[in-house]
Amino acid sequence: MADAIRQQDPYRSQSERITHPPQIIALLRRLHENRILLRVKIPGVEHPFNSLLLNLNPQRNYLLLDEINDEAAHRKALEAGRLRVFGQHEGVEMNFNLDIRPAHNRQGVGFYQASLPECVYYMQRRADYRVHVAMDMEIGVLLPLGEELLLDGQLCDVSMGGLGARLDADQEIRKGLIIPGCRIQLPQDPQPLQADLEVRFVLPDESHQGLRLGGRFSRLAPEDKGRLRKFVTQLEREMIRRRTRGDG
């Protein structure tokens, strides 16, 4: 059944280890039936990739996972033969390991086949999984620092709890700083979403000669919360459409 576990991993220390097959199947069905966008991690590769659970067959003890749409990463995944899969649905987060092997359908579309996981780490939490924003969407973020300085950036990921952004300026920003009136220019919406933002981390982004910033919303009006929820849902659907089309 479910055993509480205590390990150094901060995720696992707050989660339950599900080993009962009917419970595992029920969790996997949530991901499959709701077409939940998944994050997959390859051993030895820091950057996660997106995927979908294409099929689930408990009777024959296998599942099908959408192939990573990055040739170099795909090769590394096959070399490793294992992926770590992360999913979130209705406030429940789960992750599990899969031993994968390549397969194709009659149309030549590639995917990974794997036996059902023997255990799933499951955690109920309030924080929402952050949705990646494709670079070609170019969603602007404005961060006012004082009365005269306004930093212009681009949204990288977002959830109901916060955001990640890439900033062009090499400005000194400290962790814990509260930035009042952070604005996100939502697509096809003349009124930007506005919230106070607490800086959680700042890292140099050498590839873009700027900064990567992560922040948590510290104040969000009810009407903006509704607009944000709608926006996050739209992003999730767009990511699924891109995966289905093979756009990345």
Side-chain angles (χ1 to χ4, degrees), residues 26-123:
L27 292 173
L28 294 175
R29 277 180 174 152
R30 291 191 193 184
L31 301 178
H32 178 233
E33 293 175 0
N34 291 281
R35 292 186 60 79
I36 299 300
L37 187 68
L38 305 174
R39 289 179 301 148
V40 297
K41 290 187 176 181
I42 306 166
V45 178
E46 182 177 356
H47 180 68
F49 297 88
N50 294 318
S51 186
L52 288 170
L53 185 55
L54 300 176
N55 197 7
L56 178 66
N57 192 323
Q59 291 76 24
R60 299 179 64 181
N61 189 38
Y62 76 85
L63 58 79
L64 303 180
L65 193 71
D66 194 17
E67 186 177 280
I68 295 172
N69 191 29
D70 180 295
E71 185 59 33
H74 169 63
R75 289 197 300 268
K76 289 182 179 179
L78 294 183
E79 290 172 5
R82 170 169 282 217
L83 293 173
R84 185 88 177 169
V85 182
F86 297 79
Q88 188 270 345
H89 177 58
E90 294 184 349
V92 172
E93 291 191 5
M94 61 193 86
N95 72 76
F96 48 89
N97 288 322
L98 290 179
D99 293 323
I100 62 168
R101 56 186 180 276
H104 295 82
N105 63 16
R106 293 179 179 177
Q107 288 73 41
V109 177
F111 48 84
Y112 307 121
Q113 184 168 334
S115 299
L116 301 188
E118 295 182 357
C119 72
V120 172
Y121 293 97
Y122 165 102
M123 180 167 64

Side-chain angles (χ1 to χ4, degrees), residues 113-144:
Q113 184 168 334
S115 299
L116 301 188
E118 295 182 357
C119 72
V120 172
Y121 293 97
Y122 165 102
M123 180 167 64
Q124 186 101 17
R125 60 187 298 174
R126 294 182 180 179
D128 292 271
Y129 158 57
R130 286 195 181 183
V131 183
H132 175 71
V133 179
M135 291 184 64
D136 60 7
M137 297 186 74
E138 296 185 350
I139 298 172
V141 177
L142 294 176
L143 302 175

